[in-house]
Amino acid sequence: MAAPDKKILAELKKLRAEIDRHNRLYYVDDNPAISDAEYDRLFDHLLEIERQFPELVTPDSPSQRVGAPVSKKFAVVQHRVPMLSLQKVTSEEEFEQFDRRVREGLETSGEIEYITEPKLDGLAVELVYEHGLFVLGSTRGDGRSGENITVNLRTLRTVPLRLSEETAKRCPLLEVRGEVIMKKSAFAHLNDALEANNLPPLANPRNAAAGSLRQLDSSVTASRPLMFYAYGISDTDLESLDRHQRVMELLRHEGFLINDLIAPTTGTEAVGRAFETLQSAREQLDYEIDGMVVKVDRFNQQTILGQISRAPRWAVAWKFAAETAPTVVEEIEFSVGRTGVVTPVATFEPVKVSGVYVSRATLHNADRIQELDIRKGDTVTVRRAGDVIPEVVDVDKSKRVKGTRPVEFRKKCPSCEEPITRSEGEAAHRCLNPACPAQLERRLFHFASKSGFDIEGLGGKLARQLIDEKLVRNPADLFFLTKEQLLPLDLMAEKKAQNLLNAIDQSRTTPLPRLIYALGIPSVGEAAAGLLAGQFETFEKFETTSTEELTAVDGIGPIIAACIGDFFANEGNQSMLKRMREGGVQFPVFQSLAATGKLAGKTFVITGTLSQPRGYFKNLIEEHGGRVASAVSAKTNYLLGGADAGSKLAKARKLGTTIINESGLEQLLNNTND
Ligand code: IVH
């Protein structure tokens, strides 16, 4: 293989710059300067040179946008600065209240300079640029940590792979945030193509974007028409950037796609008008939006306002009223939840609401039924607000047919036929039978879910059978199941039974946060379970804690505390916990990865050229509890070296430090204890 000469290097540089420029003209500016065929010719030329000189392939080369298969799960990435969520308002009055709080916070009676932006309905991501190079991309996740989807994001033409030198100098670390979306038109095309290939269509552009981005095979992502719109950065203490507007200008200058409806808007009246305008433009836009984000423009004001829990005080999401659709009620059913609450549900012909087909909608409770005066056969309006379960909002009495009768709330549980009761002052009707099969089924399903004991193979059908056959009376019974008991069940074979038993066995060491969540304590969701595990560290401490100690935990209020108290006071729950212990469930001590990761306590130094940017390996190491230092010393445990490693390698050799390459690191991560 010939060594590349200066001419080749110069040509490569020119070619890459040329392709980047046309990418930007085409994907960001919507203003292509050359034909597709000419573009393909440039691209093929680049590929040809890189094939000849593979050592010249860099992570920011446009050729790296094609994607590659990966096999593993996505790694977890901590966001250096948490990705916050937004407070919501849904009316002019509520927005005015928000504005009042802002003015109070800033001690001003003057009008506030806001920026109004469409609230894009896609997937929030963060892009990290180190010295101008795109090194890490991640999903928002829970705001603190998300998934490492760098290779997938690299396939998006709207994600710049390198920033200008000027900006790289000014911001050696720049974390850009924004939304990945799929245009409505592109979504329609994609679905046509999927259907033409006999593949199931995707529900809506947002799901399509999320699904396309979270592909383990990034060449699938590369084939999907996704776009990244930048809407901010993680830190705002950049010199000479005193406003959000300036940041948007900088990002636009760097080749990021910035929504063209973002505009400075001063005072509440103007914001109200901007909202009206956006609402009437909504249908015509080729991307989905679910409201308008209003941000205080000046960074010094943002700083003064600060944040409350997970949302800034300087921004708000003014949401559009949820989309609705009319339909005809076929039946009114009663469904029993895992805590025994009996919820009335209307069923109907599937209708499309906010892009999704729905055929059931909650009626909440008896009061709501009375208020709506809903009857079988009525024409109703159904709403689906964001992720919220569909509900009936209105009954069109003018369309009521003759002979209908008001709904009578069930007196007996539809599952166990025990009487349903309603306590004083409570909105809900409940089935109080602790052995009610419907409740048990729901509890079991919740217990075994991914966020709980994660017992694969224990779906609704099997849960039902285990209960019907009286093999399981409460979740703890799962840990006593035998193959002999399982084999006679419907659709059960040797292998399936063994897999289930293996999954149950593995779940005996479920980490504390998931274990707490799985118990199904009313009001204790995943977030609360995580807080509780982090606070109390052992189940024993959690179990014996007082209400005072509980409410002292940031994020745990009196309602959750009371639910926890009631849960542990209940004898049935006590005996279930006892039986779980007898069944070999471990109740492990809560430990953060820093202490338990495979690389815990180990210090690494990274040097030389690796197959991925250094930031990638740094993240990988830290994620497993290791530490990355910049210089080799006697305390260094491992030197991770790539090609052309220089003085650090020499020093490591001298000190006798263990030297490993990428596959050595992989081995470290794959073996040792879990
Ligand atoms: S700003 C602290 N701007 O809305 C600022 N968010 O609840 C937080 N979103 O999932 C984000 N369009 O991805 C901001 N123009 C916009 C946005 C936007 C959509 C999403 C964001 C996040 C959610 C925030």
Side-chain angles (χ1 to χ4, degrees):
M1 190 175 64
D5 58 19
K6 281 217 176 88
K7 217 176 109 207
I8 299 279
L9 286 172
E11 185 173 0
L12 206 52
K13 191 168 169 200
K14 199 172 131 212
L15 203 49
R16 286 178 181 157
E18 200 47 18
I19 294 174
D20 279 340
R21 189 170 74 86
H22 289 301
N23 265 339
R24 178 166 172 176
L25 284 169
Y26 187 94
Y27 291 100
V28 178
D29 302 339
D30 213 357
N31 184 22
I34 55 174
S35 70
D36 288 2
E38 277 171 289
Y39 178 86
D40 288 346
R41 215 172 40 76
L42 288 174
F43 205 87
D44 286 344
H45 191 179
L46 172 70
L47 291 182
E48 185 48 42
I49 298 180
E50 291 189 349
R51 238 192 315 272
Q52 254 182 45
F53 304 104
E55 69 276 23
L56 298 183
V57 178
T58 54
D60 61 339
S61 169
S63 65
Q64 298 308 295
R65 293 190 187 276
V66 289
V70 288
S71 48
K72 285 177 258 143
K73 282 205 293 193
F74 297 115
V76 177
V77 199
Q78 299 284 333
H79 298 298
R80 198 178 54 85
V81 179
M83 293 180 78
L84 302 176
S85 47
L86 291 168
Q87 322 169 50
K88 288 179 192 63
V89 296
T90 51
S91 66
E92 209 165 330
E93 294 75 56
E94 283 178 9
F95 177 73
E96 279 165 10
Q97 280 166 16
F98 164 81
D99 175 77
R100 209 168 306 131
R101 287 196 300 273
V102 168
R103 280 184 288 116
E104 275 165 18
L106 298 174
E107 295 175 4
T108 171
S109 52
E111 294 200 313
I112 303 296
E113 291 169 80
Y114 290 113
I115 301 291
T116 52
E117 310 182 349
K119 185 168 187 301
L120 304 171
D121 199 6
L123 196 77
V125 301
E126 175 172 75
L127 312 175
V128 181
Y129 291 84
E130 276 176 18
H131 302 291
L133 185 66
F134 171 55
V135 293
L136 178 67
S138 55
T139 60
R140 174 175 183 274
D142 63 3
R144 285 167 212 273
S145 60
E147 288 175 318
N148 183 337
I149 52 163
T150 313
V151 276
N152 303 48
L153 284 166
R154 193 173 275 137
T155 68
L156 271 62
R157 301 307 197 272
T158 39
V159 168
L161 299 181
R162 185 178 280 286
L163 308 178
S164 69
E165 266 172 43
E166 185 197 351
T167 297
K169 276 222 185 73
R170 195 168 165 199
C171 329
L173 175 68
L174 187 68
E175 293 166 328
V176 180
R177 283 149 180 207
E179 200 88 351
V180 171
I181 58 131
M182 189 181 287
K183 282 192 174 174
K184 291 182 195 166
S185 52
F187 166 75
H189 272 127
L190 175 64
N191 261 356
D192 287 348
L194 287 173
E195 271 173 297
N197 287 303
N198 261 334
L199 293 165
L202 299 159
N204 56 45
R206 183 198 146 91
N207 285 5
S212 301
L213 203 52
R214 294 187 65 261
Q215 290 284 333
L216 287 172
D217 181 347
S218 60
S219 63
V220 177
T221 312
S223 76
R224 299 278 173 85
L226 298 173
M227 302 173 86
F228 172 74
Y229 274 102
Y231 58 59
I233 55 177
S234 61
D235 282 330
T236 52
D237 54 357
L238 290 174
E239 245 175 78
S240 77
L241 288 182
D242 58 344
R243 288 168 183 266
H244 180 60
Q245 264 191 87
R246 298 282 107 77
V247 169
M248 293 292 104
E249 283 159 13
L250 172 82
L251 294 178
R252 180 177 282 127
H253 175 77
E254 291 301 325
F256 288 95
L257 188 60
I258 305 295
N259 191 283
D260 51 10
L261 300 177
I262 295 181
T265 313
T266 300
T268 48
E269 257 178 55
V271 171
R273 281 196 301 273
F275 183 78
E276 298 288 318
T277 311
L278 189 62
Q279 196 160 28
S280 43
R282 185 181 186 188
E283 272 308 299
Q284 274 83 56
L285 297 176
D286 194 13
Y287 47 85
E288 293 203 328
I289 59 174
D290 55 353
M292 184 169 85
V293 182
V294 189
K295 301 176 182 170
V296 171
D297 191 20
R298 287 175 187 270
F299 288 149
N300 59 352
Q301 296 186 331
Q302 290 189 3
T303 310
I304 295 171
L305 290 164
Q307 66 183 71
I308 15 161
S309 77
R310 322 266 313 251
R313 282 206 189 81
W314 47 263
V316 76
W318 187 345
K319 303 265 282 197
F320 297 134
E323 265 188 64
T324 59
T327 186
V328 177
V329 177
E330 280 176 352
E331 202 58 69
I332 290 170
E333 297 175 351
F334 294 83
S335 126
V336 187
R338 93 186 128 79
T339 56
V341 172
V342 179
T343 308
V345 177
T347 66
F348 37 79
E349 274 281 297
V351 276
K352 205 169 180 177
V353 194
S354 315
V356 173
Y357 280 101
V358 296
S359 55
R360 296 164 66 79
T362 177
L363 296 168
H364 299 288
N365 51 44
D367 292 343
R368 183 69 183 151
I369 289 188
Q370 212 168 21
E371 189 186 338
L372 286 168
D373 181 24
I374 187 172
R375 302 174 187 194
K376 198 170 144 178
D378 273 352
T379 299
V380 296
T381 307
V382 179
R383 160 170 87 177
R384 194 182 144 269
D387 303 333
V388 180
I389 33 175
E391 60 176 353
V392 171
V393 285
D394 198 22
V395 175
D396 187 348
K397 304 265 167 61
S398 71
K399 298 216 173 103
R400 176 164 286 167
V401 287
K402 279 210 181 97
T404 59
R405 276 185 301 145
V407 177
E408 246 183 79
F409 210 92
R410 273 193 79 110
K411 303 259 182 316
K412 285 184 174 169
C413 171
S415 172
C416 67
E417 294 293 326
E418 292 284 315
I420 293 174
T421 56
R422 183 184 195 179
S423 317
E424 271 283 322
E426 248 213 332
H429 281 74
R430 283 174 196 272
C431 161
L432 297 178
N433 172 13
C436 166
Q439 284 181 51
L440 187 48
E441 186 186 329
R442 292 294 179 90
R443 275 215 302 280
L444 210 52
F445 193 68
H446 174 83
F447 188 86
S449 68
K450 259 210 142 25
S451 311
F453 272 68
D454 191 16
I455 303 175
E456 217 181 303
L458 198 99
K461 260 208 191 106
L462 183 60
R464 186 79 263 176
Q465 277 193 73
L466 291 171
I467 294 160
D468 287 348
E469 298 299 323
K470 307 238 180 328
L471 291 173
V472 172
R473 291 188 173 81
N474 79 43
D477 292 339
L478 288 172
F479 301 101
F480 293 87
L481 286 174
T482 63
K483 204 187 275 181
E484 291 66 41
Q485 289 175 320
L486 291 174
L487 283 175
L489 298 180
D490 225 22
L491 298 174
M492 185 58 75
E494 172 78 23
K495 185 146 185 256
K496 200 168 157 193
Q498 192 54 52
N499 285 347
L500 180 66
L501 290 174
N502 291 348
I504 292 174
D505 188 39
Q506 270 191 10
S507 80
R508 288 190 164 93
T509 51
T510 295
L512 194 56
R514 280 175 25 211
L515 188 150
I516 294 177
Y517 169 77
L519 296 177
I521 305 172
S523 309
V524 178
E526 274 182 85
L531 287 176
L532 293 163
Q535 180 68 29
F536 295 103
E537 291 180 342
T538 68
F539 193 79
E540 289 67 31
K541 261 196 236 155
F542 168 52
E543 199 175 15
T544 50
T545 183
S546 66
T547 310
E548 289 72 44
E549 277 175 294
L550 280 169
T551 43
V553 181
D554 195 14
I556 304 292
I559 295 180
I560 302 185
C563 289
I564 295 171
D566 290 349
F567 181 85
F568 287 118
N570 179 297
E571 251 172 60
N573 293 331
Q574 283 298 344
S575 64
M576 174 178 88
L577 288 165
K578 184 159 168 268
R579 196 161 157 75
M580 277 167 70
R581 289 192 168 95
E582 287 163 3
V585 176
Q586 299 282 310
F587 293 83
V589 173
F590 175 77
Q591 276 170 329
S592 70
L593 261 189
T596 59
K598 288 179 177 167
L599 307 179
K602 302 283 184 248
T603 303
F604 289 74
V605 170
I606 309 176
T607 188
T609 313
L610 299 156
S611 71
Q612 303 265 1
R614 276 191 206 171
Y616 168 84
F617 290 101
K618 183 166 184 286
N619 235 300
L620 192 66
I621 290 168
E622 289 178 350
E623 208 175 88
H624 289 89
R627 212 173 68 83
V628 176
S630 54
V632 179
S633 76
K635 288 189 192 134
T636 312
N637 299 96
Y638 296 100
L639 181 91
L640 171 62
D644 306 322
S647 62
K648 285 181 191 167
L649 181 65
K651 181 149 188 210
R653 287 217 170 100
K654 218 162 105 194
L655 289 172
T657 312
T658 311
I659 296 159
I660 55 169
N661 57 13
E662 287 179 33
S663 56
L665 178 65
E666 221 161 82
Q667 273 173 27
L668 282 181
L669 291 174
N670 287 333
N671 53 41
T672 61
N673 58 320
D674 204 356

